[in-house]
Amino acid sequence: MSKATLVFVLRRLLQVIPVVLAIAAFNFLLLKLAPGDAADIIAGQMGHATVEFTQQLRREFGLDLPLWEQFLVYMTRLLVFDLGVSHLQGLPVIDLILARLPATLILMITAIFIAVLVGIVLGVAAARRQGTLADNLISTLALVVYAIPAFWLGLMLIVLFSIQLDILPSGGMVSIGAGHTGLAHVLDVAWHLVLPAVTLGLFYVAVYTRLMRASMLEVYGLDFIATARAKGLSEGKIAWTHAARNALLPVATLCGVQLGHLLGGSILVETVFGWPGLGRLVFDALLQRDLNLLLGILFVSSVVVVIANLVVDLLYGLLDPRIVHK
Amino acid sequence: MRGLATFWFRFRRNRAAVVGAAVLFVVVLAAIFGPWFYPVDPFDMVGRPYTVPLDQFPLGTDVAGRDILAGILHGARISLLIGLLASLAATIVGVTFGAIAGYYGGRIDDLLMRTTEFFLTIPSFVLAVVLVAIFQPSVTTVTVAIAVVSWPSVARLARGEFIAHRDREYVQGCRAIGMPDWEIILLQIMPNALPPVIVVASLMVATAILTESGLSFLGLSDPNLVSWGYMIGVARTALRTAWWMAAIPGLMIVITVLAINLIGEGLNDALNPKLRK
């Protein structure tokens, strides 16, 4: 690693700090904008709380302090990942979130993996046959898929594959009562992952197919492709080893940009399939009007996106050796 | 008028866009006049639950015996209304941000673009969920929430356009004759910067409709109004016995969103002919 690269990596790491602080401050703002505070909510749930009791709750939560002091307390707590307590489950918000985060990450990573892989293959295939029936078919399909709400697609896939054909599970992450361990457990989870991951990934298949096709057509117009043809390389070799490698860059960029979007989609898809990730937690938090938990999820998911963007940025240099960090 | 004729000539060449426009026209007509021709309250229990389409009611009834066609017609109003209003609001905010940032540059640009990037970082759907949950679901809060998560992309685009134009000769000429900044921004650069913004704004209507359907599927919609996403959410429990109940409103979303996307591509061809491949 050259010195310039090291400086770039360090500087990029430092840039994350103000963004995370801004997200925390924004979270605090939302918390204060909400009508009624935690004490009101708890008092409301108890049904017959007195004014004195509500006041006592306020003192306990520090809600009687001046706003700037509350802000300082909030920010210091966030530094040690203290996101408060979920009012209904009585557990620390961060514990609830961390317990659910792995399932969401598994779903997101699988979906994006499917999307990139299939998107690249279809995009290259379409670009190589530009203007033919196959190209038009791929492009039209991509356009239709682009318009399908993921949560509805999930329901329709359940109808087809779980109810009608009965070949894939309709929800959950493991078979209930099976008690698999080791490899059997992994396979069981993978089995349950098929439908949610395809549902979440399909939209991005369309996105990457369209992008890869456009990007390939652009690269095909460059001089080095003409050189490769003049050398007598086969079209397959030109497409995959010369053009596709260069056409990949915009796809990698978009992957990074769309992580937040992917996480949002994951919430809906998880709700449909009962996948025990952050999405299910959002749904439960909504049902129980658990604002602390909701804001905690917003904070953690934003931080996840910031970190993922950082990783993509750092990996980008590996994909494109032309990038020199100044 | 000649501009409009050229526009129509170019738009018409994209056959798919014309089909999209026709389909959307039908959906708009159904939204405006449908409930008038088919005066059934979508919340009324009109018959037995779970009746199949074409039996007693054109599209059958849902789990509570409510008329699905009535829901589809009223839902069209909500989807189109929220989609249009949210995109309009997001476009106005985004263009304002982008225009000021791009035209003035420097510190102002830095500040505005940091804000924009911040909003691009936060997972937009999660933010929309939190906003609607905090302020209680209604047409207004859902519209505002969708606008809040949609404006940043417009801001970035508009900024790029303004940067490309701010040092052109015609702008320098305007400055030389002492034209005030607001006049240069609004009357001189804006007409030139608008075409790509219009394309993005039209595609944003489609995204907004998808977001609205997702929110109402989670139960975050105005409790007094039927929307397509809400209908899918209700039908979910009946998936095993009556799959069409969820299929019908979903198909409406797909058709509407697809039509808008096709129109957006046609607009792109018509307004940015240079970008055509």
Side-chain angles (χ1 to χ4, degrees), chain A residues 108 200 204 259-269, chain B residues 123-126:
Chain A
M108 279 173 65
L200 182 58
Y204 299 94
L259 277 167
H261 189 256
L262 182 70
L263 210 140
S266 173
I267 287 185
L268 283 164
V269 172
Chain B
S124 55
F125 188 72
V126 186

Side-chain angles (χ1 to χ4, degrees), chain B residues 92-150:
Chain B
I92 292 173
V93 174
V95 167
T96 311
F97 257 65
I100 294 174
Y103 184 77
Y104 289 105
R107 280 262 175 89
I108 302 177
D109 183 28
D110 268 354
L111 181 72
L112 293 182
M113 281 305 112
R114 283 287 135 76
T115 317
T116 309
E117 276 160 27
F118 174 75
F119 275 95
L120 280 172
T121 306
I122 298 180
S124 55
F125 188 72
V126 186
L127 178 57
V129 165
V130 170
L131 286 175
V132 177
I134 287 181
F135 297 107
Q136 308 301 330
S138 72
V139 171
T140 317
T141 54
V142 172
T143 307
V144 171
I146 296 175
V148 166
V149 300
S150 309

Side-chain angles (χ1 to χ4, degrees), chain A residues 35 143 152 155 210 271 289 305-306, chain B residues 121 133 236 246-247 250 262 265:
Chain A
L143 211 59
W152 180 72
L155 292 175
R210 282 165 62 102
T271 310
R289 309 215 49 77
V305 171
V306 170
Chain B
T121 306
R236 221 186 124 177
L262 290 175
E265 300 228 325

